[in-house]
C-alpha cells in the first residue's frame, strides 16, 4: 500500500466508522493531471446510494477542514 493511501486511511477511518461505515480500501490515482481518490466502504446493512452520498459529505467536511 502506498504511503499516501495509508495517510488517507488514517485520516478517514474513524470519522467514517462514527458515521456507520467501514473503510475497506483506498486507491489513489492520477488521471488527466488530477488526483482521484477512490474509497471502498461497507456497513452491516450494506451500502445504498444514499450511504455513498452521506459518506461523501463526511469526507468533504474532513478535507475542507484541512485546507
Amino acid at each position: 500500500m502506498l504511503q499516501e493511501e495509508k495517510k488517507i486511511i488514517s485520516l478517514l477511518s474513524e470519522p467514517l466508522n462514527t458515521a456507520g461505515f467501514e473503510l475497506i480500501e483506498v486507491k489513489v490515482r492520477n488521471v488527466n493531471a488530477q488526483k482521484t481518490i477512490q474509497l471502498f466502504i461497507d456497513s452491516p446493512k450494506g451500502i445504498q446510494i444514499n450511504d455513498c452520498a452521506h459518506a461523501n459529505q463526511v469526507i468533504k467536511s474532513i478535507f475542507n477542514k484541512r485546507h
Side-chain angles (χ1 to χ4, degrees):
M1 182 180 307
L2 299 172
Q3 185 66 22
E4 191 170 34
E5 291 168 344
K6 288 180 184 179
K7 287 173 109 175
I8 292 168
I9 290 170
S10 68
L11 178 67
L12 299 179
S13 286
E14 186 176 330
L16 285 171
N17 280 337
T18 300
F21 305 110
E22 179 184 359
L23 182 56
I24 304 296
E25 186 177 357
V26 173
K27 291 184 180 181
V28 178
R29 295 191 173 111
N30 290 314
V31 178
N32 297 327
Q34 289 189 352
K35 189 168 289 193
T36 301
I37 301 171
Q38 185 177 23
L39 304 176
F40 297 85
I41 59 172
D42 199 3
S43 78
K45 61 182 173 81
I47 297 294
Q48 303 297 319
I49 190 71
N50 290 340
D51 296 321
C52 294
H54 182 221
N56 187 54
Q57 291 303 313
V58 170
I59 294 160
K60 282 174 59 174
S61 71
I62 293 165
F63 283 134
N64 286 339
K65 287 179 188 176
R66 294 182 56 86
H67 293 282

